[in-house]
Amino acid sequence: ASTQAPLGLAAALLFALIGGAILNLMPCVFPVLSLKVLGFASHAHDRRALVLGGVAYTTGVVLSFVGLAALLLVLRAGGEQLGWGFQLQSPIVIAVLAALFTLIGLNLAGVFEFGSVLPSGLASLRMRHPLVDSLLTGVLAVAVASPCTAPFMGASLGLAATLPAAEALAIFGALGLGMALPYLAASLWPGLARALPRPGAWMTRFKVLMAFPMFATVVWLVWVIGQQTGIDGAAALLATLLALAFIAWALGTPGIGQLARAAFGVVGVASLVLALSWMLPAFQAAASPAARTGEAGPHWQPWSEQRVAELRAAGKPVFVDFTAAWCVTCQYNKRSTLADAEVMADFAARGVVLLRADWTRRDPAITAALAAFGRNGVPVYVLYGRDGAPQLLSEILGVGEVRDALARLSAE
């Protein structure tokens, strides 16, 4: 009813703000947050730089969430079947992120300096406007963190897809503000500077330490590529990252002579071209379902709307796991609750048919099915009873919740 709409929007905005703040605890966000910690350490005793950096980071996060949401809404209005996290359904986007995190990690580890690689104009621009780095850190945080929002934002994101554009963008703006709020508050808190140690040699070691979360993110992204395109695509991406790292070292390491630098640069560029000529065609292929997220096997079957309809018509209970390789929460649930021996025994004892809907790459049918449940992202878990009625389970799936739902299924 129209009288309930404002309350629904207000609740969605509140949950978006809270969900955005909780998002900082997700593993996929940790690497980018390490950059913020490094920034706090660098400007700990420069009150003005600390405050402006926090504001710039907040601006980058909010604008990125709103911009990504606007792109999603425009594409959906044009007939595209897309959902939240759609950017990570593209192998090219994941490869770009892997390259970016590789370069950031190498820079933090001291392998090269950006000032030696970038044109002098861009290098001086970064020196004159360090706030640009804070803003771009916010953009990077959103690019990596957005797929992790579903566990806290499933209902709100589903509502946003049905609202007018202005209200939908307000929800995504609140999500971005919530994510940036802890760091904005920390930058405005005068006691933070006094709590941090004085700049010194420890900062050099800390900077190198922060490289390892970047490389860990690269490992995850390469794994996602392997799920999307198979082992050939993952190997091609690794070759591309190796060539890119060699170029960064050759061009960005002080002390290398001009002649050697030019020779190394030619070798690096040639290697990069060869790697790209292998990677781009490999990205056109799609990995088999079994290689991606384990749909095939003794327990799980690939999902299709037709298969669900057949099983419901036959009066068989069905459990559907809507998942994606790039969804960290999905992978955690899959390896914990959905791998639990007691849960699997309960499924078998009650004759529940297990279906897995893989959204790792674009699939309009899965997007439409999620929308039918009022959801716009994964994970989503649906249990159909023998009467065919669907029951939505929580995104952070627990063993007790699943077993209780199955017990109720037996009592029907």
Side-chain angles (χ1 to χ4, degrees):
S2 59
T3 56
Q4 295 176 339
L7 179 60
L9 177 60
L13 289 171
L14 177 61
F15 283 123
L17 190 69
I18 297 173
I22 298 176
L23 188 60
N24 290 289
L25 301 177
M26 297 298 289
C28 54
V29 188
F30 286 167
V32 179
L33 298 189
S34 67
L35 293 179
K36 288 307 300 170
V37 173
L38 188 62
F40 276 139
S42 301
H43 302 295
H45 301 280
D46 186 341
R47 175 76 180 145
R48 182 174 180 274
L50 200 61
V51 172
L52 291 178
V55 172
Y57 174 75
T58 302
T59 302
V61 170
V62 173
L63 290 182
S64 297
F65 264 115
V66 172
L68 197 59
L71 178 60
L72 173 63
L73 294 176
V74 168
L75 292 175
R76 285 171 65 95
E80 296 285 344
Q81 289 291 331
L82 297 174
W84 190 243
F86 69 95
Q87 72 276 16
L88 291 187
Q89 293 176 325
S90 167
I92 296 297
V93 173
I94 293 178
V96 171
L97 288 174
L100 183 58
F101 276 104
T102 297
L103 292 176
I104 292 175
L106 292 173
N107 173 254
L108 292 174
V111 174
F112 77 99
E113 296 296 333
F114 278 116
S116 302
V117 177
L118 296 175
S120 58
L122 286 178
S124 61
L125 179 65
R126 290 182 70 245
M127 294 296 294
R128 293 195 308 268
H129 303 286
L131 295 183
V132 174
D133 284 345
S134 295
L135 188 143
L136 293 179
T137 301
V139 175
L140 182 62
V142 173
V144 179
S146 55
C148 292
T149 56
F152 314 108
M153 291 292 299
S156 292
L157 294 180
L159 173 64
T162 66
L163 290 174
E167 296 178 0
L169 293 179
I171 290 178
F172 287 105
L175 176 61
L177 180 60
M179 180 177 173
L181 198 56
Y183 300 91
L184 179 62
S187 66
L188 297 174
W189 178 36
L192 176 66
R194 294 190 296 270
L196 292 173
R198 292 277 178 184
W202 69 271
M203 289 186 60
T204 301
R205 294 190 291 272
F206 183 74
K207 181 180 177 183
V208 175
L209 178 64
M210 291 299 98
F212 291 96
M214 302 299 158
F215 295 140
T217 303
V218 175
V219 172
W220 170 59
L221 292 172
V222 171
W223 180 81
V224 173
I225 283 291
Q227 299 292 304
Q228 291 182 331
T229 65
I231 190 65
D232 201 46
L237 176 58
L238 286 172
T240 302
L241 297 179
L242 178 62
L244 194 62
F246 182 79
I247 293 173
W249 170 81
L251 301 182
T253 303
I256 298 180
Q258 292 297 323
L259 183 59
R261 191 186 301 273
F264 286 148
V266 170
V267 172
V269 170
S271 300
L272 182 60
V273 170
L274 289 174
L276 288 174
S277 67
W278 176 18
M279 184 184 77
L280 295 178
F283 280 7
Q284 300 303 314
S288 65
R292 285 201 304 269
T293 52
E295 292 87 343
H299 303 297
W300 294 90
Q301 303 175 23
W303 172 92
S304 72
E305 197 67 69
Q306 180 181 358
R307 180 63 174 152
V308 172
E310 292 172 353
L311 292 170
R312 294 175 69 186
K316 294 185 177 181
V318 182
F319 180 83
V320 182
D321 170 18
F322 290 92
T323 184
W326 38 261
C327 169
V328 176
T329 307
C330 302
Q331 302 308 314
Y332 173 78
N333 289 338
K334 187 184 303 179
R335 287 161 174 75
S336 55
T337 300
L338 296 181
D340 183 82
E342 293 181 338
V343 170
M344 297 306 296
D346 284 353
F347 279 137
R350 291 161 177 79
V352 179
V353 181
L354 304 178
L355 303 181
R356 185 159 277 155
D358 176 27
W359 208 39
T360 299
R361 300 192 76 162
R362 286 184 59 183
D363 189 323
I366 294 178
T367 306
L370 290 171
F373 292 114
R375 295 294 186 266
N376 200 29
V378 291
V380 171
Y381 303 101
V382 186
L383 178 63
Y384 294 91
R386 289 184 174 85
D387 59 357
Q391 175 189 352
L392 282 176
L393 304 183
S394 62
E395 287 86 351
I396 301 179
L397 204 59
V399 170
E401 179 186 7
V402 177
R403 298 195 70 191
D404 289 345
L406 293 174
R408 291 193 297 272
L409 189 67
S410 300
E412 293 177 354

